[in-house]
Amino acid sequence: MNPETLRILESISRDRNIDRELLIHDLEQAMISAARKHFNSLDTEEFGCEMDRLTGRLRLWRNSPEGQEEVPLEA
């Protein structure tokens, strides 16, 4: 994801009168859901995602007993 994603979200927010933070939260939740499906996980707490509000960069991670490990978005 990149600044273009932020511009698209801003445009949707403005055009549809939807809170930008709600759109970002929904995108983060969609990424978590996609990761759970990709890795066949039933654990709702196994993955986390956060979008940088300034750069549009998405960070996806997997919680494990050893700590958080970054999940490359290409995976």
Side-chain angles (χ1 to χ4, degrees):
M1 302 286 166
N2 54 34
E4 178 66 19
T5 304
L6 289 176
R7 284 192 290 275
I8 292 169
L9 290 174
E10 187 63 41
S11 176
I12 292 169
S13 173
R14 214 177 25 255
D15 294 347
R16 307 266 172 126
N17 197 28
I18 301 171
D19 182 48
R20 180 177 172 261
E21 273 304 307
L22 180 63
L23 290 172
I24 291 173
H25 175 74
D26 288 348
L27 178 60
E28 291 168 341
Q29 292 303 308
M31 293 298 293
I32 291 170
S33 178
R36 287 182 56 221
K37 287 179 184 176
H38 180 78
F39 291 101
N40 296 317
S41 173
L42 298 176
D43 183 1
T44 59
E45 301 298 319
E46 185 173 356
F47 292 95
C49 182
E50 184 175 67
M51 176 183 260
D52 184 306
R53 271 53 171 177
L54 296 176
T55 66
R57 181 182 181 276
L58 272 175
R59 186 173 84 84
L60 182 65
W61 66 87
R62 188 177 206 168
N63 294 316
S64 69
E66 295 82 36
Q68 290 183 354
E69 59 182 76
E70 193 95 8
V71 176
L73 292 180
E74 296 80 35

